[in-house]
Amino acid sequence: MIPNAVSYRLTNVRLHASVAPGLAAVFDADGFALADIAVADGRISGITAHARTGAAADAVDLGGRIVLPCFVDCHTHIDKGHIWPRKPNPDGTFMGALNAAGADRVARWSAEDLARRMDFSLRSAYAHGTRALRTHLDSVAPQEEISWPVFEAMRETWCGRIDLQGACLLGIEGVRDKNWFDRLAKRVAAAKGVLGVVTYMVPDLEELLDQVFAQAIKHGLDLDFHADETDDIAAVSLKKIAEAALWNGFEGNILVGHCCSLARQPDLEVLDTLDKVAKAGLAVVSLPMCNLYLQDRRGNGTTPRWRGVTLLHEMKARGIPVAVASDNTRDPFYAYGDLDMLEVYRMATRILHLDHPVADWPRAVTATPAKVMRLDGIGTLAAGGDADFILFKGRSWTELLSRPESDRIVVRGGRAIDRQLPDYAELDELMVG
């Protein structure tokens, strides 16, 4: 369907206004318009409203099928990915996941083990149409000495296929060791990474946050937090992060993930938090699949009673940049997943009601995370940009989001890629012993 040619034209494709901002066309109620895309030398040479007559000889009529830009997955853990067969979550709880993953890290995370699992994850993401990905890297001593060199090698190997970013991950209590944390921040800066921590309501949270911001400012690093991944209404570290950003005058990008407890808190508390988050310029990413799996898991035959996601609609209404992402994949925190951002968006639409109207929610897996990650020209379709896009069978949201679209066509640099997914059997020898 995609010509094996240097230049060609795709006609009668369906583009969404949120990801094709320069298209001058009449859009329907769901934000779609029919368009023609011209490709030359690996780039998009033009996007115009669909011309219904006089198709060029090099044109391929796609019958109104949806085309989206390649995805941006801004919150993943590919260092943990695919360890489930050897270290499953014993009870499906957050603490069960934390303990299982920690034990596996200590026992098994060699450079070879990490490299093979990370490469497997990236091949999956690439085949599904991901263009850029940020992964958190467990950086509790001495793991950072193993994981960061592997990450840097992996980033080099995947250069040109997936723009790979790394963010360190440790509990906020690790910041108390000031000398060690300073060395870690230097290591992250040397790797051109992002400084990240997991926040909890510890007594010295504000002091520790000040240290995190001080290191980020010192080394010119952006920040990425895990926050409030709990149903405890007393967990308000999202607010504390916003306050710390304001009083430290931080000017870098800040992404905060999870923020689950916000959906459980009283309205006045929520409003105060959202006002501060907006003022501080924070961005928020919800992880709908993982948190649906972990949160409110009561056991004893009890049905969960809330969805585990944060207040994306209220955030977006205040101008807070919001995204959704994959999070964990086949590890103790989430037993499923394949780094398929279409699956993430499909599930997010159902769980978070990203419809009625669709509005510009597709930006939550494309342009918005690209901006948070400082990736220019990624996440949108525009003349002059790279010809990196995904062609689906679906011609409307209900068609697109009703099937896995496993036969989608992923185009990179103007050419369709080989979408062969890696076989799980490749990892079998890592799962024994």
Side-chain angles (χ1 to χ4, degrees):
M1 186 176 293
I2 299 296
N4 186 22
V6 174
S7 63
Y8 55 86
R9 182 178 295 273
L10 304 179
T11 70
N12 198 17
V13 304
R14 203 172 299 273
L15 299 184
H16 197 265
S18 64
V19 296
L23 177 60
V26 177
F27 294 90
D28 65 21
D30 281 336
F32 281 116
L34 292 176
D36 299 338
I37 302 176
V39 174
D41 298 319
R43 304 185 74 82
I44 296 174
S45 57
I47 301 179
T48 57
H50 175 49
R52 299 180 183 276
T53 59
D58 63 349
V60 179
D61 190 329
L62 295 181
R65 296 178 180 182
I66 292 172
V67 172
L68 292 176
C70 286
F71 297 119
V72 180
D73 201 348
C74 65
H75 183 123
T76 71
H77 295 264
I78 64 173
D79 60 344
K80 293 183 176 71
H82 302 288
I83 65 173
W84 181 275
R86 72 189 190 201
K87 202 64 176 178
N89 187 324
D91 55 11
T93 65
F94 183 88
M95 287 308 301
L98 194 67
N99 293 334
D104 192 75
R105 181 182 68 242
V106 171
R108 305 291 292 269
W109 290 19
S110 66
E112 180 185 1
D113 177 72
L114 281 169
R116 289 182 60 182
R117 291 187 292 100
M118 290 172 73
D119 184 71
F120 187 98
S121 295
L122 291 169
R123 282 187 285 152
S124 301
Y126 181 71
H128 290 309
T130 288
R131 174 70 175 78
L133 179 147
R134 176 182 290 180
T135 182
H136 296 271
L137 298 170
D138 279 19
S139 297
V140 178
Q143 188 63 47
E144 80 280 12
E145 298 176 4
I146 301 171
S147 296
W148 280 93
V150 172
F151 164 78
E152 289 172 300
M154 199 64 57
R155 182 176 58 191
E156 181 67 22
T157 298
W158 278 87
C159 182
R161 290 178 290 170
I162 292 181
D163 286 358
L164 189 59
Q165 290 187 357
C168 64
L169 185 68
L170 67 150
I172 190 73
E173 69 277 4
V175 180
R176 292 176 183 143
D177 187 338
K178 295 182 181 180
N179 291 332
W180 177 82
F181 187 61
D182 180 62
R183 292 195 299 273
L184 177 63
K186 289 178 182 176
R187 180 69 183 87
V188 173
K192 297 180 173 59
V194 177
L195 195 62
V197 298
V198 184
T199 56
Y200 333 104
M201 298 307 296
V202 293
D204 55 344
L205 177 59
E206 292 180 353
E207 175 186 343
L208 295 175
L209 283 172
D210 279 346
Q211 293 181 43
V212 173
F213 276 91
Q215 288 293 340
I217 292 169
K218 177 181 177 181
H219 296 288
L221 297 171
D222 286 340
L223 288 165
D224 193 319
F225 293 94
H226 284 57
D228 304 329
E229 194 174 0
T230 174
D231 63 357
D232 182 3
I233 63 173
V236 294
S237 61
L238 174 62
K239 178 190 291 188
K240 296 295 184 181
I241 292 166
E243 291 171 344
L246 290 168
W247 69 55
N248 281 283
F250 188 71
E251 296 181 354
N253 286 358
I254 304 173
L255 181 63
V256 188
H258 299 290
C259 310
C260 305
S261 63
L262 191 67
R264 308 279 287 174
Q265 293 167 0
D267 287 347
L268 290 178
E269 181 74 24
V270 168
L271 293 173
D272 183 47
T273 296
L274 293 183
D275 288 346
K276 290 176 178 176
V277 168
K279 185 176 181 181
L282 274 56
V284 173
V285 56
S286 183
L287 299 312
M289 298 195 303
C290 183
N291 284 139
L292 191 71
Y293 174 80
L294 283 177
Q295 295 300 310
D296 205 27
R297 186 179 286 271
R298 305 177 180 207
N300 300 318
T302 304
T303 303
R305 302 186 186 176
W306 72 299
R307 300 182 179 208
V309 290
T310 196
L311 305 182
L312 288 197
H313 289 271
E314 292 83 350
M315 292 175 178
K316 187 167 176 287
R318 282 170 173 74
I320 298 167
V322 293
V324 293
S326 291
D327 205 9
N328 298 71
T329 305
R330 297 186 67 246
D331 68 30
F333 287 89
Y334 185 56
Y336 317 107
D338 200 35
L339 294 173
D340 180 359
M341 287 297 286
L342 179 65
E343 181 192 17
V344 173
Y345 187 77
R346 182 171 62 243
M347 292 294 290
T349 297
R350 298 168 181 176
I351 297 166
L352 283 152
H353 291 170
L354 306 185
D355 52 15
H356 306 293
V358 173
D360 62 353
W361 283 113
R363 293 176 63 87
V365 293
T366 52
T368 298
K371 185 175 181 180
V372 171
M373 293 171 64
R374 300 183 184 271
L375 300 173
D376 294 335
I378 294 178
T380 59
L381 299 172
D386 292 333
D388 294 340
F389 51 81
I390 310 168
L391 170 61
F392 299 99
K393 286 286 187 67
R395 300 163 300 172
S396 63
W397 286 125
T398 182
E399 289 185 2
L400 178 67
L401 302 183
S402 294
R403 290 180 175 171
E405 290 273 356
S406 55
D407 54 354
R408 73 193 74 166
I409 298 171
V410 176
V411 176
R412 299 297 304 274
R415 297 182 183 273
I417 68 167
D418 179 1
R419 293 196 56 244
Q420 183 70 36
L421 287 165
D423 191 324
Y424 291 127
E426 293 180 27
L427 302 177
D428 283 354
E429 65 181 294
L430 300 179
M431 302 301 142
V432 297

